[in-house]
Amino acid sequence: MQSQSTPAVILRTRPLGEADLIAIVLTPEQGKLETAAARARNSKKRFAGGLSPGMRGVAAIARGRGALLRLESFDATAAHAPVGADLTRFAYVAYLCELTDELVLARHPDPELFAALCLALEQVIGGAPQALHLRQYELALLRCLGLSPALTCCCVCGSEVGGDESAAFDGPRGGVLCLEHERGAPRLPTSALAAIQHLEAGGDPAALAAAPASLRRAVRDAIQSIVRSHLRRPLHAQAFFAALPRDAGAEGV
């Protein structure tokens, strides 16, 4: 069968035999696909830049003899070299790809999610990577999966939640809680809640870069409490953040 070309992001690879690879790719119109890349570890023509997680490009995909698709070629369309030269970028890219691979089901097309991942990769690879870029992508991913946290109304009863200094916030339960349903839930400063709303609405993460470290950590902890409640296992990429310099890794994951 003739191959079809599609924009794609490499999420993960694993060896298949001596020269082949299994490549998990995310596409906008076909969703997450598992493909077999024949001779990918030897071919300098069809896979000139390799198949590293986070690579963005155009994939030529065809149906194989069985259920497994064939990745005929992959042409990178964005620079990926900075990832191998910088541990912070490597950790951020590894996290973005593994988180997506873990939470997104196969063959569920979502152009909005694909665009959000490409934007996050561009921000951390092509610019100055910040943990706030991870936070914004986490929120976009949750939104695309129908798991957005409640940020203004109680996640239990739907009543409006207000507070001068803080609000009850329970990630696993779904977000903010009213006085009747908070049941000792942790308190989240309203400034952190406003920052989450800013990121969820697509606001520029750079606008929060000068915020106190304590506020950025509160934002991280709140969003991460939601993300982790949907994971079946700890992500391997989390170990990379422990190896980062304190300033680069403290607010990562």
Side-chain angles (χ1 to χ4, degrees), residues 11 24-26 30-34 100-109:
L11 296 181
I24 310 301
V25 303
L26 185 71
Q30 300 181 67
K32 190 175 76 170
L33 303 173
E34 185 174 21
T100 304
D101 187 28
E102 182 68 16
L103 291 184
V104 174
L105 297 177
R107 298 179 183 267
H108 283 254

Side-chain angles (χ1 to χ4, degrees), residues 125-149:
I125 296 175
Q130 299 178 21
L132 289 168
H133 294 138
L134 304 185
R135 305 290 82 84
Q136 188 163 59
Y137 177 70
E138 289 164 344
L139 289 167
L141 176 58
L142 290 169
R143 181 175 63 253
C144 290
L145 295 175
L147 301 171
S148 291

Side-chain angles (χ1 to χ4, degrees), residues 75-89:
D75 296 319
T77 56
H80 195 71
V83 177
D86 181 79
L87 183 57
T88 299
R89 286 183 172 85

Side-chain angles (χ1 to χ4, degrees), residues 129-241:
Q130 299 178 21
L132 289 168
H133 294 138
L134 304 185
R135 305 290 82 84
Q136 188 163 59
Y137 177 70
E138 289 164 344
L139 289 167
L141 176 58
L142 290 169
R143 181 175 63 253
C144 290
L145 295 175
L147 301 171
S148 291
L151 299 176
T152 59
C153 297
C154 176
C155 60
V156 175
C157 66
S159 61
E160 188 172 351
V161 174
D164 294 332
E165 296 183 358
S166 67
F169 187 96
D170 191 321
R173 293 177 66 186
V176 295
L177 294 156
C178 65
L179 292 175
E180 181 180 354
H181 294 104
E182 65 177 28
R183 297 187 215 164
R187 307 294 298 184
L188 182 68
T190 52
S191 56
L193 188 58
I196 294 174
Q197 292 170 333
H198 171 82
L199 294 172
E200 207 277 337
D204 187 357
L208 303 174
S214 59
L215 184 144
R216 297 197 303 270
R217 286 193 295 269
V219 169
R220 175 201 61 189
D221 293 345
I223 299 174
Q224 280 278 294
S225 70
I226 307 167
V227 170
R228 287 172 178 164
S229 70
H230 297 292
L231 293 174
R232 296 168 295 176
R233 60 170 180 82
L235 301 183
H236 299 299
Q238 292 174 327
F240 297 132
F241 288 89

Side-chain angles (χ1 to χ4, degrees), residues 34-58:
E34 185 174 21
T35 67
R39 301 181 300 280
R41 286 186 276 177
N42 296 331
S43 177
K44 301 298 183 183
K45 181 178 180 180
R46 294 183 300 119
F47 307 103
L51 293 173
S52 299
M55 289 185 69
R56 293 156 287 157
V58 176

